Amino acid sequence: MPRRSGARSRAGTNDPAGAVIELRPGVPDLSSFPRTLWAAALRRALATAPNSALDYAEPAGLPVLREAVAGYLARTRGVRAEPEAVVITAGFTSGLSLLGRALHRRGARTIATENPGLVRHRDVLRAAELTVVPLAVGPSGAEPGDAVGQAALLTPAHQHPTGVVLAPRSRYRFIDWARRNNAYLVEDDYDGEFRYDQRPVGAMQALDPERIVYAGSTSKSLAPGVRLGWMIVPAPLRRDLAAEIFDAGAAVSVLDQLAMADLILRGDYDRHIRRMRLVYRRRRRQLASSIGVPLRGIAAGMHALLPLASATGEQRLIAEGRRRGLALTGLHGNGYWHEPEGQSAALILGYAAPPAHSWPAALSLLTQLVQQSAAELVQNRGPDGVTVGL
Ligand SMILES: Cc1ncc(COP(=O)(O)O)c(C=O)c1O
């Protein structure tokens, strides 16, 4: 989730004794960024690229990276894409904004987005002059019966923020809806690479590459500051999307593109992801066993949901967490719901964010906080020990 304030310490001081450990959802451990690998990739790119590579590049991205990404996604996510379908973006949000404009250019006026979902995504779609309508999210993911308009934005592999997977039946129903309505589905595969309990469910895009725009980002696999991602785009949308990138001057730095291609082609990107997957899997297990109350959502990604009984309880826990040195994020108070009234509350625990040296302290502070807050927790648990129904 984007950071809104730079505050990192209590009372706005730089006093390390007052430091706050952030459990920000959707953020990787920034201290694990592969600096050496990136520097080496950049050095190789600079040493080998001809001068002509430094010219204005194609808005859709450098052929070498588009080819590398097509191969990587086919191999790791089962995506069906020829290199011409790949569009390099400055991250998911930028790609979504430009895609929204391209869809509008082609006559779209309404897009459905998950409820709850990231408010930032609704904002950029509204800025693209699209009306945003809610898709309810249940235990099987977004509800296809709610789809209206000319597009729907989905997080099938790991719904953000509830952590459920979009059921196979729902995937087919969304595709059927898109085909019947000449609509597009946007698959935000924001942490598809990070599944811990089994092999990741493949990308939905493979079920219908003509109706699904697949979108990936390096914000979780490398770092959000890199601002690099990709979209796999059905042929009829490609020209309009490239035109939006060109008009916005939103093409990505060629040096970053060359370095990224190098990282993928040498296998270093896969190796880094595999390494981080082990780190986050271990953290998630430690979190689940340490706090002693069931978390919601599959074992995947960078966050888990701790359902709470009320929005006031959420505020109380966040305030108490801050007093103890933890920055926590609530489901109710952060714009995830299209309309928050009457909707449920939770803590969205971003366990990937703390650097390794802070993780033990984060875990222990969180465990104490949760164990001393029984009154705020949701009591109704499903038969498998997983809290059901948001
Ligand atoms: C649901 C979701 N999708 C996508 C992203 C990645 O966005 P970006 O690539 O713009 O950083 C995030 C990042 O937090 C996210 O939470």
Side-chain angles (χ1 to χ4, degrees), residues 31-376:
S31 72
S32 293
F33 180 78
R35 288 173 189 252
T36 310
L37 291 177
W38 187 262
L42 206 49
R43 205 175 315 109
R44 277 190 298 269
L46 276 169
T48 54
N51 291 339
S52 59
L54 301 175
D55 201 350
Y56 290 105
E58 253 186 81
L62 296 182
V64 62
L65 180 56
R66 294 165 79 192
E67 203 169 312
V69 166
Y72 169 76
L73 292 177
R75 187 160 43 77
T76 59
R77 305 293 297 125
V79 165
R80 284 160 56 193
E82 68 263 11
E84 304 76 63
V86 179
V87 172
I88 303 303
T89 64
F92 176 77
T93 314
S94 169
L96 181 66
S97 160
L98 298 162
L99 179 70
R101 287 166 205 273
L103 289 170
H104 188 273
R105 199 189 265 240
R106 298 177 59 81
R109 294 295 175 265
T110 301
I111 182 166
T113 72
E114 294 168 335
N115 188 28
L118 277 187
V119 64
R120 173 98 177 107
H121 295 171
R122 301 199 294 276
D123 287 346
V124 302
L125 291 167
R126 289 194 184 107
E129 295 184 61
L130 294 170
T131 300
V132 180
V133 296
L135 284 173
V137 174
S140 311
E143 182 43 63
D146 287 359
V148 292
Q150 296 78 39
L153 170 61
L154 302 169
T155 48
H158 191 220
Q159 201 277 329
H160 192 86
T162 65
V164 297
V165 177
L166 186 62
R169 201 166 153 267
S170 302
R171 293 177 185 226
Y172 286 107
R173 284 183 60 202
F174 270 114
I175 290 170
D176 185 50
W177 168 80
R179 287 177 182 163
R180 279 187 291 104
N181 292 280
N182 194 24
Y184 287 101
L185 303 171
V186 184
E187 177 175 18
D188 173 4
D189 199 29
Y190 72 102
D191 51 25
E193 288 114 335
F194 294 98
R195 179 92 194 228
Y196 312 126
D197 52 343
Q198 59 169 67
R199 278 175 66 80
V201 178
M204 185 172 166
Q205 185 266 4
L207 301 176
D208 193 343
E210 287 172 23
R211 287 282 141 212
I212 301 177
V213 181
Y214 173 94
S217 164
T218 60
S219 288
K220 321 267 164 157
S221 52
L222 293 176
V226 174
R227 305 315 306 144
L228 192 59
W230 35 76
M231 284 184 161
I232 310 302
V233 184
L237 292 178
R238 287 178 207 159
R239 222 177 43 173
D240 286 320
L241 183 57
E244 292 294 343
I245 294 174
F246 182 74
D247 288 353
V252 175
S253 149
V254 290
L255 292 178
D256 290 347
Q257 292 192 57
L258 290 170
M260 189 69 216
D262 179 279
L263 220 55
I264 294 175
L265 293 172
R266 293 174 70 91
D268 288 338
Y269 186 59
D270 292 57
R271 277 189 285 278
H272 176 68
I273 289 177
R274 275 203 296 277
R275 197 162 44 242
M276 296 317 296
R277 198 186 289 136
L278 291 178
V279 171
Y280 299 144
R281 181 170 71 180
R282 194 177 324 118
R283 285 192 189 186
R284 190 181 165 106
R285 284 192 180 150
Q286 289 171 336
L287 176 65
S289 67
S290 173
I291 67 170
V293 293
L295 298 169
R296 187 158 196 269
I298 57 162
M302 303 194 169
H303 72 272
L305 217 69
L306 177 68
L308 299 175
S310 69
T312 48
E314 180 180 302
Q315 283 165 8
R316 259 200 301 277
L317 272 184
I318 290 171
E320 184 53 28
R322 186 151 279 272
R323 259 193 298 282
R324 296 173 185 217
L326 277 182
L328 299 168
T329 300
L331 170 68
H332 199 269
N334 284 290
Y336 286 96
W337 296 106
H338 286 232
E339 299 286 346
E341 286 74 35
Q343 300 286 14
S344 57
L347 288 181
I348 309 173
L349 302 171
Y351 52 83
H357 68 268
S358 301
W359 172 242
L363 190 60
S364 125
L365 286 169
L366 184 67
T367 302
Q368 287 164 25
L369 177 68
V370 170
Q371 289 178 351
Q372 289 161 15
S373 310
E376 322 291 7

